[in-house]
Amino acid sequence: MVLRPADPLTTLAHGIGSQHDLPISPFYAFAGAFTALLVSFLALGLLWSSSRFRGDRSGLALPAALERIADAPATRTALRGLGLAAALAVLLSLLLGPDDPARNPAPGAVYVLLWVGLVPASLLLGPVWRLLNPLRTLYRLCHRLSRALRRHAHAPLPVHAPLPARLGQWPAAAGLFGFTWLELAAPDPASTTTLLTALALYTAVHLALAARFGERWFADADAFEAYSALLARLSPLGRRSDGRLVLRNPFHGLDATPERPGLVATACVLLGSTAYDGYSDNPSWIDTLQTSPLGRTPTATLGLLASIALVATLYCLCAAATCLVCGPHPGPLTAFAHSLVPIALAYLVAHYFSLLVTEGPRTVIMALGTDNAPEPLSPLGPGGLAALQVIAVVTGHVLGVIAAHDRSVRLFPPARAVAGQLPLLALMITYTIGGIGLLLN
């Protein structure tokens, strides 16, 4: 977005700066998007008749020495220590720092360095939050202490309950919704009281459930681990099925996305919340929030829920139409859910690029104790930023079309595979219209 000088509280509360009159023609933006989607669809239908992606069976193994360094206990311990130290620094800033986001780095650390910074970190390095996650580290420390005390008292060691298979990623989807609600709908999202309350509640819930189900709880139930792991599916770094660290075509990693319960909900929360973030700066919606008899927070909550529900409904209708055209499939919703990941990534890049490159450095400067942090300035001019946003949205949808087509020719007979992509193409066009419309509004 084109950032304008604003109260940091307002900027952080919306997750992005304001956007107005981006200097790009809507006609060329929409025409280019439609052309890219249609050309890619026709080219795939004519030239791509069999599945080419091999999931976690693909990849060029990295040198064994590099893999040993990456997997070394010292490396993993250092990363866990780094994550825990950063969490403690944020906690101290919230407890001891001023209740002013212009002078306290904690809100920027949560809403910028964590939420937005995980996007490039996961794309470049894989699911990094799994190693940095301070909740995992706290759980490990508490678990080891508990086992030591029980051994000393000759008490039986605890036995963790199995995780219900049907739970899947639903807890992570709920956690992501809670975080985006805090950012976009809560009354005072950047206040120290709000952040302390939210972090304490999140920590208590996850540690209590991890004590019942074990450390594996975090892999799918922790919102930020699921978020990082989902984006890491498009990373060139990955793990092959034999455990080797490899360089791979990101499409292979995307194809290996586990089809688990809650996957669709997680992707739709990411898409819908980012779309609502873009729309929340629209003057008509601001007027609605200010004049609604329900109050700002309930109205914003309903708007956020409606945005997520719209994204999910369109996807479910598309999946149903695909089954009507191609025939029944045991998992119609999850079969193509991986194609939503590049679209979600595109929306994140388009909406949060400016926030990361402007507020990110200022947050770091504040954390280092500098009182005169500079005013955030966009590294790109309005035209360059608008072009970046539109290109990101269009590219994400084209990648989604490619991922969906490869899965379709694998699942369905050739005669039906291309026809079955028509509902998905319609969905991509609809999402593209909405995404570019929000950017150019």
Side-chain angles (χ1 to χ4, degrees):
M1 302 309 156
V2 178
L3 291 174
R4 58 184 181 184
D7 178 3
L9 176 60
T10 303
T11 302
L12 289 172
H14 288 279
I16 54 172
S18 299
Q19 55 175 4
H20 297 285
D21 302 324
L22 291 178
I24 191 169
S25 167
F27 172 79
Y28 289 117
F30 286 117
F34 292 155
T35 301
L37 287 171
L38 288 174
V39 168
S40 60
F41 174 78
L42 292 174
L44 290 169
L46 292 173
L47 305 175
W48 200 306
S49 58
S50 61
S51 176
R52 302 183 184 184
F53 303 146
R54 297 183 292 119
D56 57 8
R57 295 170 296 166
S58 66
L60 176 65
L62 291 174
L66 184 60
E67 184 175 0
R68 282 196 298 270
I69 294 173
D71 293 338
T75 302
R76 294 174 177 265
T77 300
L79 290 174
R80 293 190 184 100
L82 177 63
L84 187 59
L88 290 175
V90 170
L91 180 61
L92 290 175
S93 295
L94 291 173
L95 290 172
L96 306 177
D99 192 7
D100 179 2
R103 296 185 297 124
N104 192 325
V110 174
Y111 293 121
V112 181
L113 298 183
L114 173 60
W115 177 243
V116 187
L118 269 181
V119 176
S122 301
L123 285 177
L124 292 174
L125 303 174
V128 291
W129 192 246
R130 186 174 299 165
L131 292 175
L132 293 171
N133 189 351
L135 294 184
R136 270 190 187 261
T137 306
L138 282 175
Y139 167 78
R140 287 191 172 197
L141 293 175
C142 293
H143 183 61
R144 288 175 182 175
L145 178 60
S146 174
R147 290 175 67 91
L149 292 175
R150 285 175 177 269
R151 284 196 183 99
H152 185 266
H154 302 288
L157 297 178
V159 178
H160 294 125
L163 267 173
R166 64 181 180 277
L167 197 62
Q169 290 188 333
W170 281 106
L176 285 172
F177 173 78
F179 180 83
T180 54
W181 177 87
L182 180 70
E183 180 191 15
L184 303 173
D188 197 4
S191 76
T192 55
T193 302
T194 300
L195 282 172
L196 276 171
T197 303
L199 292 176
L201 180 62
Y202 190 83
T203 300
V205 168
H206 279 278
L207 288 181
L209 289 169
R212 174 172 174 77
F213 296 110
E215 189 175 347
R216 61 188 180 279
W217 165 262
F218 295 106
D220 287 323
D222 182 87
F224 298 102
E225 280 207 19
Y227 171 57
S228 175
L230 200 59
L231 295 175
R233 290 293 169 184
L234 286 167
S235 172
L237 283 177
R239 292 282 179 179
R240 214 163 48 193
S241 56
D242 59 3
R244 290 297 305 272
L245 186 65
V246 297
L247 281 176
R248 65 188 181 189
N249 181 337
F251 276 114
H252 293 296
L254 183 63
D255 186 67
T257 304
E259 297 180 28
R260 307 199 59 190
L263 173 62
V264 175
T266 302
C268 288
V269 168
L270 287 176
L271 277 172
S273 61
T274 310
Y276 174 77
D277 196 351
Y279 183 70
S280 65
D281 200 43
N282 188 289
S284 63
W285 181 247
I286 294 175
D287 291 340
T288 300
L289 292 177
Q290 293 174 344
T291 59
S292 171
L294 297 176
R296 178 196 174 277
T297 297
T299 304
T301 302
L302 291 175
L304 178 60
L305 284 170
S307 180
I308 295 171
L310 177 61
V311 169
T313 299
L314 290 174
Y315 176 77
C316 291
L317 290 174
C318 169
T322 299
C323 286
L324 287 176
V325 174
C326 297
H329 185 272
L333 291 179
T334 57
F336 295 96
H338 68 300
S339 66
L340 297 178
V341 177
I343 303 173
L345 171 63
Y347 279 38
L348 290 166
V349 171
H351 283 272
Y352 297 131
F353 171 80
S354 288
L355 181 69
L356 180 62
V357 297
T358 54
E359 294 298 330
R362 186 163 76 168
T363 298
V364 173
I365 291 173
M366 278 194 290
L368 295 176
T370 304
D371 293 329
N372 56 343
E375 192 69 27
L377 296 174
S378 176
L380 298 178
L385 192 55
L388 171 67
Q389 292 171 329
V390 173
I391 290 172
V393 170
V394 174
T395 301
H397 287 86
V398 170
L399 296 181
V401 169
I402 295 173
H405 177 83
D406 187 86
R407 182 62 57 85
S408 181
V409 297
R410 180 188 307 168
L411 297 177
F412 303 115
R416 296 182 179 180
V418 176
Q421 292 301 291
L422 290 175
L424 286 165
L425 176 64
L427 178 71
M428 299 299 176
I429 290 175
T430 303
Y431 282 168
T432 303
I433 292 173
I436 295 179
L438 289 173
L439 293 176
L440 300 180
N441 195 322

